[in-house]
Amino acid sequence: DTGVSQDPRHKITKRGQNVTFRCDPISEHNRLYWYRQTLGQGPEFLTYFQNEAQLEKSRLLSDRFSAERPKGSFSTLEIQRTEQGDSAMYLCASSLISSGRSSYEQYFGPGTRLTVT
Amino acid sequence: GNSVTQMEGPVTLSEEAFLTINCTYTATGYPSLFWYVQYPGEGLQLLLKATKADDKGSNKGFEATYRKETTSFHLEKGSVQVSDSAVYFCAQIQGAQKLVFGQGTRLTINP
């Protein structure tokens, strides 16, 4: 079990550029989540997938954000026309949800730190 | 909506001191509750959890008891070590889907 991995770990970009982040969940996990964490705050939910279906999107996820999980395995999060307010740590998590399972633990990756200059 | 409130930090203690980090929540029903820890430069790690009222989660000497009467899930450790220095997050699961986190409490342990 290699855990949740994210790539890149750090990204510096200029305002107005597009960026894409990748998340590889724990292999047998069917749910994948994206969160955003700004300095000094707890993570905030952005969106989640069950297999390849995107089931919920937060109001924090503006039209400039899009997430995909095309084959139900890895996921990408793209931010178009980045703004300085997008600077944050973007966290990915995964979990295994099945009938009869009620504890709902989510396991987090190391995050991608985005800096928009 | 559902929320989590943690005691404000930062918290600074000496090694071997007793630790309490307060956490209260608002929710409809009885959500599962979690403590996550974030060490410097690392991602969030699940520290412990409790899934129903009166459950006690424990791990690495840390404990927290799910108290529905006071809607609390306070984190405790009897004797902290320098290696416990980190940011601690209390969280609840909302709608069996997304975690709702508190703002985090930064803990520093001095030798």
PDB file of all heavy atoms in Angstrom, chain B residues 11-42:
ATOM      1  N   VAL B  11      -0.769  26.382  21.200  1.00  0.00           N
ATOM      2  CA  VAL B  11      -0.610  25.827  22.532  1.00  0.00           C
ATOM      3  C   VAL B  11       0.852  25.418  22.698  1.00  0.00           C
ATOM      4  O   VAL B  11       1.401  24.722  21.844  1.00  0.00           O
ATOM      5  CB  VAL B  11      -1.516  24.595  22.727  1.00  0.00           C
ATOM      6  CG1 VAL B  11      -1.241  23.937  24.071  1.00  0.00           C
ATOM      7  CG2 VAL B  11      -2.986  24.986  22.604  1.00  0.00           C
ATOM      8  N   THR B  12       1.469  25.873  23.766  1.00  0.00           N
ATOM      9  CA  THR B  12       2.866  25.546  24.057  1.00  0.00           C
ATOM     10  C   THR B  12       2.929  24.882  25.415  1.00  0.00           C
ATOM     11  O   THR B  12       2.418  25.422  26.398  1.00  0.00           O
ATOM     12  CB  THR B  12       3.752  26.787  24.031  1.00  0.00           C
ATOM     13  OG1 THR B  12       3.639  27.420  22.746  1.00  0.00           O
ATOM     14  CG2 THR B  12       5.206  26.415  24.279  1.00  0.00           C
ATOM     15  N   LEU B  13       3.538  23.693  25.446  1.00  0.00           N
ATOM     16  CA  LEU B  13       3.671  22.936  26.686  1.00  0.00           C
ATOM     17  C   LEU B  13       5.088  22.437  26.848  1.00  0.00           C
ATOM     18  O   LEU B  13       5.842  22.342  25.869  1.00  0.00           O
ATOM     19  CB  LEU B  13       2.717  21.728  26.675  1.00  0.00           C
ATOM     20  CG  LEU B  13       1.216  22.001  26.639  1.00  0.00           C
ATOM     21  CD1 LEU B  13       0.456  20.691  26.426  1.00  0.00           C
ATOM     22  CD2 LEU B  13       0.758  22.682  27.907  1.00  0.00           C
ATOM     23  N   SER B  14       5.413  22.059  28.060  1.00  0.00           N
ATOM     24  CA  SER B  14       6.690  21.392  28.315  1.00  0.00           C
ATOM     25  C   SER B  14       6.514  19.893  28.165  1.00  0.00           C
ATOM     26  O   SER B  14       5.411  19.354  28.327  1.00  0.00           O
ATOM     27  CB  SER B  14       7.184  21.712  29.715  1.00  0.00           C
ATOM     28  OG  SER B  14       7.416  23.100  29.849  1.00  0.00           O
ATOM     29  N   GLU B  15       7.614  19.231  27.839  1.00  0.00           N
ATOM     30  CA  GLU B  15       7.587  17.780  27.702  1.00  0.00           C
ATOM     31  C   GLU B  15       7.030  17.150  28.980  1.00  0.00           C
ATOM     32  O   GLU B  15       7.307  17.628  30.091  1.00  0.00           O
ATOM     33  CB  GLU B  15       8.999  17.268  27.422  1.00  0.00           C
ATOM     34  CG  GLU B  15       9.050  15.966  26.669  1.00  0.00           C
ATOM     35  CD  GLU B  15      10.431  15.680  26.091  1.00  0.00           C
ATOM     36  OE1 GLU B  15      11.415  16.271  26.569  1.00  0.00           O
ATOM     37  OE2 GLU B  15      10.516  14.870  25.153  1.00  0.00           O
ATOM     38  N   GLU B  16       6.243  16.092  28.811  1.00  0.00           N
ATOM     39  CA  GLU B  16       5.618  15.327  29.900  1.00  0.00           C
ATOM     40  C   GLU B  16       4.404  16.020  30.499  1.00  0.00           C
ATOM     41  O   GLU B  16       3.792  15.483  31.434  1.00  0.00           O
ATOM     42  CB  GLU B  16       6.622  14.957  30.989  1.00  0.00           C
ATOM     43  CG  GLU B  16       7.767  14.074  30.478  1.00  0.00           C
ATOM     44  CD  GLU B  16       8.720  13.631  31.580  1.00  0.00           C
ATOM     45  OE1 GLU B  16       8.482  13.969  32.742  1.00  0.00           O
ATOM     46  OE2 GLU B  16       9.694  12.936  31.247  1.00  0.00           O
ATOM     47  N   ALA B  17       4.015  17.167  29.973  1.00  0.00           N
ATOM     48  CA  ALA B  17       2.803  17.836  30.469  1.00  0.00           C
ATOM     49  C   ALA B  17       1.571  17.111  29.962  1.00  0.00           C
ATOM     50  O   ALA B  17       1.618  16.332  29.007  1.00  0.00           O
ATOM     51  CB  ALA B  17       2.794  19.291  30.026  1.00  0.00           C
ATOM     52  N   PHE B  18       0.425  17.411  30.610  1.00  0.00           N
ATOM     53  CA  PHE B  18      -0.862  16.868  30.176  1.00  0.00           C
ATOM     54  C   PHE B  18      -1.465  17.788  29.121  1.00  0.00           C
ATOM     55  O   PHE B  18      -1.435  19.002  29.259  1.00  0.00           O
ATOM     56  CB  PHE B  18      -1.814  16.774  31.375  1.00  0.00           C
ATOM     57  CG  PHE B  18      -3.138  16.136  31.050  1.00  0.00           C
ATOM     58  CD1 PHE B  18      -3.277  14.764  31.095  1.00  0.00           C
ATOM     59  CD2 PHE B  18      -4.238  16.907  30.683  1.00  0.00           C
ATOM     60  CE1 PHE B  18      -4.498  14.162  30.789  1.00  0.00           C
ATOM     61  CE2 PHE B  18      -5.454  16.317  30.380  1.00  0.00           C
ATOM     62  CZ  PHE B  18      -5.579  14.939  30.428  1.00  0.00           C
ATOM     63  N   LEU B  19      -2.018  17.162  28.075  1.00  0.00           N
ATOM     64  CA  LEU B  19      -2.562  17.934  26.963  1.00  0.00           C
ATOM     65  C   LEU B  19      -4.066  17.758  26.862  1.00  0.00           C
ATOM     66  O   LEU B  19      -4.575  16.628  26.938  1.00  0.00           O
ATOM     67  CB  LEU B  19      -1.939  17.465  25.647  1.00  0.00           C
ATOM     68  CG  LEU B  19      -2.599  17.980  24.362  1.00  0.00           C
ATOM     69  CD1 LEU B  19      -2.317  19.468  24.177  1.00  0.00           C
ATOM     70  CD2 LEU B  19      -2.126  17.186  23.156  1.00  0.00           C
ATOM     71  N   THR B  20      -4.769  18.852  26.680  1.00  0.00           N
ATOM     72  CA  THR B  20      -6.169  18.823  26.256  1.00  0.00           C
ATOM     73  C   THR B  20      -6.348  19.831  25.136  1.00  0.00           C
ATOM     74  O   THR B  20      -5.939  20.989  25.285  1.00  0.00           O
ATOM     75  CB  THR B  20      -7.140  19.189  27.397  1.00  0.00           C
ATOM     76  OG1 THR B  20      -6.996  18.278  28.476  1.00  0.00           O
ATOM     77  CG2 THR B  20      -8.586  19.144  26.905  1.00  0.00           C
ATOM     78  N   ILE B  21      -6.934  19.398  24.043  1.00  0.00           N
ATOM     79  CA  ILE B  21      -7.346  20.309  22.972  1.00  0.00           C
ATOM     80  C   ILE B  21      -8.866  20.135  22.826  1.00  0.00           C
ATOM     81  O   ILE B  21      -9.346  19.046  22.520  1.00  0.00           O
ATOM     82  CB  ILE B  21      -6.652  20.020  21.629  1.00  0.00           C
ATOM     83  CG1 ILE B  21      -5.140  20.147  21.776  1.00  0.00           C
ATOM     84  CG2 ILE B  21      -7.162  20.997  20.567  1.00  0.00           C
ATOM     85  CD1 ILE B  21      -4.367  19.819  20.491  1.00  0.00           C
ATOM     86  N   ASN B  22      -9.584  21.213  23.070  1.00  0.00           N
ATOM     87  CA  ASN B  22     -11.043  21.145  23.047  1.00  0.00           C
ATOM     88  C   ASN B  22     -11.599  21.180  21.624  1.00  0.00           C
ATOM     89  O   ASN B  22     -11.086  21.894  20.763  1.00  0.00           O
ATOM     90  CB  ASN B  22     -11.640  22.306  23.842  1.00  0.00           C
ATOM     91  CG  ASN B  22     -11.404  22.155  25.325  1.00  0.00           C
ATOM     92  OD1 ASN B  22     -11.139  21.069  25.820  1.00  0.00           O
ATOM     93  ND2 ASN B  22     -11.485  23.260  26.054  1.00  0.00           N
ATOM     94  N   CYS B  23     -12.666  20.421  21.426  1.00  0.00           N
ATOM     95  CA  CYS B  23     -13.363  20.392  20.140  1.00  0.00           C
ATOM     96  C   CYS B  23     -14.848  20.210  20.410  1.00  0.00           C
ATOM     97  O   CYS B  23     -15.246  19.306  21.149  1.00  0.00           O
ATOM     98  CB  CYS B  23     -12.845  19.247  19.272  1.00  0.00           C
ATOM     99  SG  CYS B  23     -13.826  18.959  17.774  1.00  0.00           S
ATOM    100  N   THR B  24     -15.662  21.064  19.834  1.00  0.00           N
ATOM    101  CA  THR B  24     -17.116  20.897  19.885  1.00  0.00           C
ATOM    102  C   THR B  24     -17.657  20.937  18.468  1.00  0.00           C
ATOM    103  O   THR B  24     -17.033  21.493  17.564  1.00  0.00           O
ATOM    104  CB  THR B  24     -17.797  21.988  20.721  1.00  0.00           C
ATOM    105  OG1 THR B  24     -17.456  23.268  20.185  1.00  0.00           O
ATOM    106  CG2 THR B  24     -17.368  21.915  22.171  1.00  0.00           C
ATOM    107  N   TYR B  25     -18.816  20.349  18.282  1.00  0.00           N
ATOM    108  CA  TYR B  25     -19.391  20.279  16.943  1.00  0.00           C
ATOM    109  C   TYR B  25     -20.874  20.598  16.983  1.00  0.00           C
ATOM    110  O   TYR B  25     -21.522  20.497  18.021  1.00  0.00           O
ATOM    111  CB  TYR B  25     -19.181  18.881  16.343  1.00  0.00           C
ATOM    112  CG  TYR B  25     -19.936  17.792  17.055  1.00  0.00           C
ATOM    113  CD1 TYR B  25     -21.215  17.414  16.651  1.00  0.00           C
ATOM    114  CD2 TYR B  25     -19.377  17.154  18.157  1.00  0.00           C
ATOM    115  CE1 TYR B  25     -21.920  16.438  17.321  1.00  0.00           C
ATOM    116  CE2 TYR B  25     -20.073  16.164  18.843  1.00  0.00           C
ATOM    117  CZ  TYR B  25     -21.342  15.824  18.432  1.00  0.00           C
ATOM    118  OH  TYR B  25     -22.042  14.860  19.105  1.00  0.00           O
ATOM    119  N   THR B  26     -21.398  21.018  15.855  1.00  0.00           N
ATOM    120  CA  THR B  26     -22.845  21.115  15.655  1.00  0.00           C
ATOM    121  C   THR B  26     -23.184  20.212  14.488  1.00  0.00           C
ATOM    122  O   THR B  26     -22.472  20.171  13.482  1.00  0.00           O
ATOM    123  CB  THR B  26     -23.297  22.552  15.350  1.00  0.00           C
ATOM    124  OG1 THR B  26     -22.651  23.000  14.151  1.00  0.00           O
ATOM    125  CG2 THR B  26     -22.940  23.496  16.478  1.00  0.00           C
ATOM    126  N   ALA B  27     -24.262  19.465  14.629  1.00  0.00           N
ATOM    127  CA  ALA B  27     -24.644  18.523  13.580  1.00  0.00           C
ATOM    128  C   ALA B  27     -26.080  18.085  13.788  1.00  0.00           C
ATOM    129  O   ALA B  27     -26.605  18.132  14.897  1.00  0.00           O
ATOM    130  CB  ALA B  27     -23.726  17.303  13.596  1.00  0.00           C
ATOM    131  N   THR B  28     -26.682  17.652  12.688  1.00  0.00           N
ATOM    132  CA  THR B  28     -27.949  16.935  12.811  1.00  0.00           C
ATOM    133  C   THR B  28     -27.588  15.452  12.895  1.00  0.00           C
ATOM    134  O   THR B  28     -26.787  14.951  12.108  1.00  0.00           O
ATOM    135  CB  THR B  28     -28.834  17.196  11.590  1.00  0.00           C
ATOM    136  OG1 THR B  28     -28.080  16.933  10.412  1.00  0.00           O
ATOM    137  CG2 THR B  28     -29.286  18.642  11.559  1.00  0.00           C
ATOM    138  N   GLY B  29     -28.152  14.778  13.850  1.00  0.00           N
ATOM    139  CA  GLY B  29     -27.814  13.376  14.026  1.00  0.00           C
ATOM    140  C   GLY B  29     -26.492  13.208  14.752  1.00  0.00           C
ATOM    141  O   GLY B  29     -26.033  14.104  15.468  1.00  0.00           O
ATOM    142  N   TYR B  30     -25.873  12.059  14.525  1.00  0.00           N
ATOM    143  CA  TYR B  30     -24.641  11.711  15.250  1.00  0.00           C
ATOM    144  C   TYR B  30     -23.564  11.310  14.258  1.00  0.00           C
ATOM    145  O   TYR B  30     -23.409  10.142  13.921  1.00  0.00           O
ATOM    146  CB  TYR B  30     -24.946  10.579  16.241  1.00  0.00           C
ATOM    147  CG  TYR B  30     -26.040  10.954  17.205  1.00  0.00           C
ATOM    148  CD1 TYR B  30     -27.318  10.433  17.085  1.00  0.00           C
ATOM    149  CD2 TYR B  30     -25.793  11.881  18.222  1.00  0.00           C
ATOM    150  CE1 TYR B  30     -28.332  10.803  17.963  1.00  0.00           C
ATOM    151  CE2 TYR B  30     -26.793  12.255  19.101  1.00  0.00           C
ATOM    152  CZ  TYR B  30     -28.060  11.718  18.964  1.00  0.00           C
ATOM    153  OH  TYR B  30     -29.059  12.083  19.818  1.00  0.00           O
ATOM    154  N   PRO B  31     -22.807  12.305  13.791  1.00  0.00           N
ATOM    155  CA  PRO B  31     -21.781  12.017  12.786  1.00  0.00           C
ATOM    156  C   PRO B  31     -20.591  11.287  13.394  1.00  0.00           C
ATOM    157  O   PRO B  31     -20.354  11.367  14.605  1.00  0.00           O
ATOM    158  CB  PRO B  31     -21.361  13.411  12.328  1.00  0.00           C
ATOM    159  CG  PRO B  31     -21.584  14.276  13.529  1.00  0.00           C
ATOM    160  CD  PRO B  31     -22.823  13.724  14.183  1.00  0.00           C
ATOM    161  N   SER B  32     -19.825  10.595  12.581  1.00  0.00           N
ATOM    162  CA  SER B  32     -18.528  10.092  13.020  1.00  0.00           C
ATOM    163  C   SER B  32     -17.594  11.280  13.228  1.00  0.00           C
ATOM    164  O   SER B  32     -17.663  12.275  12.498  1.00  0.00           O
ATOM    165  CB  SER B  32     -17.942   9.141  11.985  1.00  0.00           C
ATOM    166  OG  SER B  32     -18.698   7.962  11.893  1.00  0.00           O
ATOM    167  N   LEU B  33     -16.721  11.162  14.225  1.00  0.00           N
ATOM    168  CA  LEU B  33     -15.806  12.251  14.587  1.00  0.00           C
ATOM    169  C   LEU B  33     -14.368  11.766  14.474  1.00  0.00           C
ATOM    170  O   LEU B  33     -14.076  10.592  14.728  1.00  0.00           O
ATOM    171  CB  LEU B  33     -16.093  12.734  16.009  1.00  0.00           C
ATOM    172  CG  LEU B  33     -17.504  13.249  16.261  1.00  0.00           C
ATOM    173  CD1 LEU B  33     -17.707  13.548  17.741  1.00  0.00           C
ATOM    174  CD2 LEU B  33     -17.791  14.497  15.434  1.00  0.00           C
ATOM    175  N   PHE B  34     -13.485  12.690  14.123  1.00  0.00           N
ATOM    176  CA  PHE B  34     -12.094  12.344  13.840  1.00  0.00           C
ATOM    177  C   PHE B  34     -11.150  13.405  14.426  1.00  0.00           C
ATOM    178  O   PHE B  34     -11.511  14.577  14.535  1.00  0.00           O
ATOM    179  CB  PHE B  34     -11.847  12.290  12.321  1.00  0.00           C
ATOM    180  CG  PHE B  34     -12.768  11.379  11.573  1.00  0.00           C
ATOM    181  CD1 PHE B  34     -14.004  11.822  11.138  1.00  0.00           C
ATOM    182  CD2 PHE B  34     -12.389  10.079  11.296  1.00  0.00           C
ATOM    183  CE1 PHE B  34     -14.864  10.980  10.448  1.00  0.00           C
ATOM    184  CE2 PHE B  34     -13.237   9.230  10.601  1.00  0.00           C
ATOM    185  CZ  PHE B  34     -14.476   9.684  10.181  1.00  0.00           C
ATOM    186  N   TRP B  35      -9.946  12.954  14.732  1.00  0.00           N
ATOM    187  CA  TRP B  35      -8.814  13.857  14.925  1.00  0.00           C
ATOM    188  C   TRP B  35      -7.763  13.498  13.889  1.00  0.00           C
ATOM    189  O   TRP B  35      -7.386  12.323  13.753  1.00  0.00           O
ATOM    190  CB  TRP B  35      -8.226  13.736  16.334  1.00  0.00           C
ATOM    191  CG  TRP B  35      -8.960  14.538  17.346  1.00  0.00           C
ATOM    192  CD1 TRP B  35      -9.897  14.107  18.228  1.00  0.00           C
ATOM    193  CD2 TRP B  35      -8.816  15.947  17.592  1.00  0.00           C
ATOM    194  NE1 TRP B  35     -10.350  15.149  19.007  1.00  0.00           N
ATOM    195  CE2 TRP B  35      -9.704  16.288  18.630  1.00  0.00           C
ATOM    196  CE3 TRP B  35      -8.018  16.957  17.034  1.00  0.00           C
ATOM    197  CZ2 TRP B  35      -9.813  17.592  19.126  1.00  0.00           C
ATOM    198  CZ3 TRP B  35      -8.129  18.240  17.515  1.00  0.00           C
ATOM    199  CH2 TRP B  35      -9.020  18.560  18.559  1.00  0.00           C
ATOM    200  N   TYR B  36      -7.316  14.516  13.163  1.00  0.00           N
ATOM    201  CA  TYR B  36      -6.222  14.381  12.223  1.00  0.00           C
ATOM    202  C   TYR B  36      -5.043  15.198  12.754  1.00  0.00           C
ATOM    203  O   TYR B  36      -5.219  16.213  13.433  1.00  0.00           O
ATOM    204  CB  TYR B  36      -6.605  14.915  10.839  1.00  0.00           C
ATOM    205  CG  TYR B  36      -7.436  13.953  10.008  1.00  0.00           C
ATOM    206  CD1 TYR B  36      -8.814  13.883  10.163  1.00  0.00           C
ATOM    207  CD2 TYR B  36      -6.836  13.128   9.070  1.00  0.00           C
ATOM    208  CE1 TYR B  36      -9.573  13.004   9.396  1.00  0.00           C
ATOM    209  CE2 TYR B  36      -7.583  12.250   8.294  1.00  0.00           C
ATOM    210  CZ  TYR B  36      -8.950  12.191   8.469  1.00  0.00           C
ATOM    211  OH  TYR B  36      -9.698  11.324   7.712  1.00  0.00           O
ATOM    212  N   VAL B  37      -3.820  14.773  12.380  1.00  0.00           N
ATOM    213  CA  VAL B  37      -2.617  15.491  12.776  1.00  0.00           C
ATOM    214  C   VAL B  37      -1.795  15.807  11.528  1.00  0.00           C
ATOM    215  O   VAL B  37      -1.741  14.999  10.587  1.00  0.00           O
ATOM    216  CB  VAL B  37      -1.788  14.683  13.803  1.00  0.00           C
ATOM    217  CG1 VAL B  37      -1.384  13.325  13.266  1.00  0.00           C
ATOM    218  CG2 VAL B  37      -0.553  15.465  14.244  1.00  0.00           C
ATOM    219  N   GLN B  38      -1.221  16.993  11.515  1.00  0.00           N
ATOM    220  CA  GLN B  38      -0.394  17.420  10.381  1.00  0.00           C
ATOM    221  C   GLN B  38       0.969  17.833  10.915  1.00  0.00           C
ATOM    222  O   GLN B  38       1.108  18.893  11.553  1.00  0.00           O
ATOM    223  CB  GLN B  38      -1.066  18.580   9.649  1.00  0.00           C
ATOM    224  CG  GLN B  38      -0.447  18.956   8.332  1.00  0.00           C
ATOM    225  CD  GLN B  38      -1.309  19.959   7.556  1.00  0.00           C
ATOM    226  OE1 GLN B  38      -1.966  20.822   8.133  1.00  0.00           O
ATOM    227  NE2 GLN B  38      -1.325  19.831   6.237  1.00  0.00           N
ATOM    228  N   TYR B  39       1.971  16.989  10.667  1.00  0.00           N
ATOM    229  CA  TYR B  39       3.335  17.301  11.071  1.00  0.00           C
ATOM    230  C   TYR B  39       3.941  18.272  10.051  1.00  0.00           C
ATOM    231  O   TYR B  39       3.505  18.320   8.893  1.00  0.00           O
ATOM    232  CB  TYR B  39       4.171  16.032  11.179  1.00  0.00           C
ATOM    233  CG  TYR B  39       3.661  15.090  12.245  1.00  0.00           C
ATOM    234  CD1 TYR B  39       2.922  13.952  11.902  1.00  0.00           C
ATOM    235  CD2 TYR B  39       3.895  15.338  13.595  1.00  0.00           C
ATOM    236  CE1 TYR B  39       2.444  13.094  12.867  1.00  0.00           C
ATOM    237  CE2 TYR B  39       3.415  14.488  14.569  1.00  0.00           C
ATOM    238  CZ  TYR B  39       2.677  13.360  14.202  1.00  0.00           C
ATOM    239  OH  TYR B  39       2.196  12.516  15.164  1.00  0.00           O
ATOM    240  N   PRO B  40       4.939  19.025  10.451  1.00  0.00           N
ATOM    241  CA  PRO B  40       5.535  20.017   9.549  1.00  0.00           C
ATOM    242  C   PRO B  40       5.946  19.400   8.212  1.00  0.00           C
ATOM    243  O   PRO B  40       6.652  18.386   8.171  1.00  0.00           O
ATOM    244  CB  PRO B  40       6.750  20.515  10.336  1.00  0.00           C
ATOM    245  CG  PRO B  40       6.391  20.285  11.771  1.00  0.00           C
ATOM    246  CD  PRO B  40       5.566  19.035  11.791  1.00  0.00           C
ATOM    247  N   GLY B  41       5.475  19.996   7.128  1.00  0.00           N
ATOM    248  CA  GLY B  41       5.866  19.552   5.793  1.00  0.00           C
ATOM    249  C   GLY B  41       5.178  18.280   5.318  1.00  0.00           C
ATOM    250  O   GLY B  41       5.532  17.751   4.261  1.00  0.00           O
ATOM    251  N   GLU B  42       4.221  17.792   6.067  1.00  0.00           N
ATOM    252  CA  GLU B  42       3.557  16.545   5.700  1.00  0.00           C
ATOM    253  C   GLU B  42       2.049  16.747   5.522  1.00  0.00           C
ATOM    254  O   GLU B  42       1.498  17.789   5.868  1.00  0.00           O
ATOM    255  CB  GLU B  42       3.808  15.480   6.760  1.00  0.00           C
ATOM    256  CG  GLU B  42       5.274  15.135   6.938  1.00  0.00           C
ATOM    257  CD  GLU B  42       5.487  14.007   7.927  1.00  0.00           C
ATOM    258  OE1 GLU B  42       4.508  13.302   8.249  1.00  0.00           O
ATOM    259  OE2 GLU B  42       6.624  13.828   8.371  1.00  0.00           O
TER     260      GLU B  42
END
